[in-house]
Amino acid sequence: MRTWHEIRGFPAAVRLLLLNQLGVNTGFYLLVPYLALHLTGDLGMSAAVVGIVLGVRNLSQQGLFLIGGTASDRLGARGVIIAGCALRTVGFGLFALGDGLPVLLAASMLSGLAGALFNPAVRAYLALEAGERKAEAFALFNVFATTGALIGPLLGSALLLVDFRASALTAAGIFAVLTAAQALVLPPRRVAPTGNSVLGDWLEVTGDRGFLAFALAMVGMFTLENQLYLLLPDAARRATGREGAAGLVFLVGTLAHLGLQLRLTAALKRRGNRARWIGSGLVLMGLSFLPPAAVAGHGGTPDGLADATARVLPVLAGVLLLNLGVMLAQPFVMELIPAFGRTELTGTYFGLFYVVSGIAAAAGNALVGWAMDAGGHADAPWLPWACCAAFGLASAAGIAVLHRRRVLPAHPAAVPATA
């Protein structure tokens, strides 16, 4: 009830953006996790071609976040959000209608570009519209995003019983509805001139050494959060011997966010410096990989329900701790990003943050994948878990150093929510 009360306390624009994120994650996760299976199984493409198609989407998104953030600052976040959702409607529609490689590459490029546009624009709009309540707004944003990440795969698996095209058309339909809702409900904001050329804006933001250090320090958060889709589902499947056990990972995370996220953020906002809670969240995220490590070496099929339960409980305990760490840190991370620079460059700061953290997190994920393979070959199943724990603790240490050197903003500046 508290969550719904808090939602009603925000302007209509913020409420729409929360629902928007629920729809974005639902549409994304009902399609993308099953795309590789469609390309290999239904279309008979080689692993190399599948890698190219998926790589185009990732490159289009990660490499163009800065473009999306700058467009948000100069053209207005509202228009960029609408354009991004419209492009993803087209991109996901192409996945449903085309089987040839050129069409699939175009679909991947458009869907990636769409994410590069609306991801920084949504966060910039939310930060500006929420004013002094940015932390609470981003806490709710996490709740809706996590819920969408649970609903999407469940809906996608059900639609696959029909065929992949049903999934793609449903995803495209969700983004079409979001596009129309934003055009009808989302009010425009006055766009203040930045006073620089585009290159001047980029030089100003990239020259902010404190911000770049902060973005690099947060690599651990994104790398570890991504293990909710790589390492932890794999551990749940191995522990129980059942493919469906991966769904428990998302269920635990969603329930935790629904029950605790807003309460935690509201309580912590009144107690202590933001850096304290970001660092504490990163420590907890790192330590969350120790319980699953304790059962990582148990191989073979579990001997009945009791054995499967005993094996999977440490994994789910790790999932819960990881989500708690995210809930501690992420709202305050999002709150701090616009506090580094001028209000006129909020979108550019978000865009650069996601470029830096995205590239670095991709490298981190590659390292975790290598550790999974190396641990299997060297009879050291604990290796990827230890690697993840080190990531979290190293990021926490980085935040502590930045705080001690007074690099981080002491308190996020309040931004008036003028239309």
Side-chain angles (χ1 to χ4, degrees), residues 135-153:
E136 291 91 337
F138 281 111
L140 286 169
F141 194 79
N142 278 355
V143 172
F144 279 80
T146 305
T147 304
L150 173 66
I151 295 171

Side-chain angles (χ1 to χ4, degrees), residues 89-116:
T89 302
V90 176
F92 281 4
L94 285 176
F95 278 126
L97 302 176
D99 293 340
L101 183 58
V103 175
L104 293 171
L105 288 174
S108 288
M109 184 184 68
L110 288 174
S111 60
L113 174 60

